[in-house]
Amino acid sequence: MFTSRMFTRSIFVLTWSVLLAACTGTPPDNLGVVNSKLAACPESPNCVSSDSLDESHYVPAFKLEASAELAWSEIKSYLHAQHNMEIMIETTDYIYVESTSTLMRFVDDFELHLRLKDGIIAVRSASRLGKSDFGVNKQRVDDLYKTLNDKGLVSEAPKPI
């Protein structure tokens, strides 16, 4: 009886571990900046980007209202303070973050691109898996924007024409 219970528990733990690991997906191969732009969003509604021409995926870029160094430093501090976000790539003008949901361990890709000549920070947040994200990616961008805006570091950049 003891062995049977141990076996059942082991199978349960193993099954959930495999299922949760499957939720992470693999990082997309289109991350980063190409021709001064972040990757386009897929057709699915689980992505937002300030570079999107499609209204359903568009979010405003962050217009710099303070020095780029100060805003960039504050962004890094904010990201480090988030329990579910890990900076994977960081350069002088680009940050790539993996954000993992607490319960199901879904991983989203969050990118920020500092464009000094335009005076903005472009943003993109996208789910790796699934179709809908229940607004999580937009909320992630909005939360960072609100934090920076409350400190007077950014405002909403006008939509490019």
Side-chain angles (χ1 to χ4, degrees):
M1 181 158 141
F2 178 74
T3 306
S4 175
R5 210 177 315 158
M6 282 286 280
F7 179 75
T8 302
R9 285 183 186 167
S10 297
I11 293 297
F12 178 79
V13 168
L14 180 63
T15 301
W16 273 104
S17 297
V18 169
L19 287 174
L20 291 177
C23 294
T24 64
T26 56
D29 56 5
N30 65 343
L31 294 173
V33 180
V34 177
N35 297 324
S36 299
K37 299 282 184 193
L38 296 170
C41 285
E43 294 285 322
S44 57
N46 58 2
C47 175
V48 294
S49 174
S50 58
D51 286 338
S52 180
L53 300 176
D54 174 10
E55 193 64 38
S56 66
H57 293 106
Y58 176 77
V59 291
F62 303 169
K63 179 182 173 205
L64 293 169
E65 298 294 346
S67 74
E69 294 80 19
L70 182 58
W72 206 238
S73 175
E74 188 63 35
I75 287 170
K76 290 188 282 188
S77 294
Y78 173 89
L79 295 171
H80 284 298
Q82 304 306 304
H83 73 281
N84 64 335
M85 293 189 194
E86 182 179 357
I87 296 176
M88 306 304 288
I89 298 172
E90 178 185 333
T91 68
T92 57
D93 68 346
Y94 176 79
I95 297 174
Y96 164 57
V97 176
E98 288 185 350
S99 179
T100 306
S101 67
T102 304
L103 183 60
M104 292 300 293
R105 312 301 296 162
F106 289 112
V107 177
D108 295 341
D109 301 295
F110 186 28
E111 299 175 278
L112 299 110
H113 180 217
L114 176 62
R115 298 179 185 163
L116 281 176
K117 69 176 182 135
D118 298 329
I120 65 166
I121 298 171
V123 293
R124 180 181 186 274
S125 187
S127 300
R128 286 187 186 171
L129 301 172
K131 183 172 172 86
S132 177
D133 67 352
F134 303 102
V136 169
N137 286 293
K138 183 173 184 328
Q139 189 63 54
R140 180 176 300 115
V141 171
D142 290 349
D143 289 346
L144 176 57
Y145 172 80
K146 181 173 180 354
T147 298
L148 298 173
N149 180 261
D150 287 350
K151 294 180 179 191
L153 300 175
V154 300
S155 62
E156 193 174 292
K159 187 174 182 176
I161 300 172

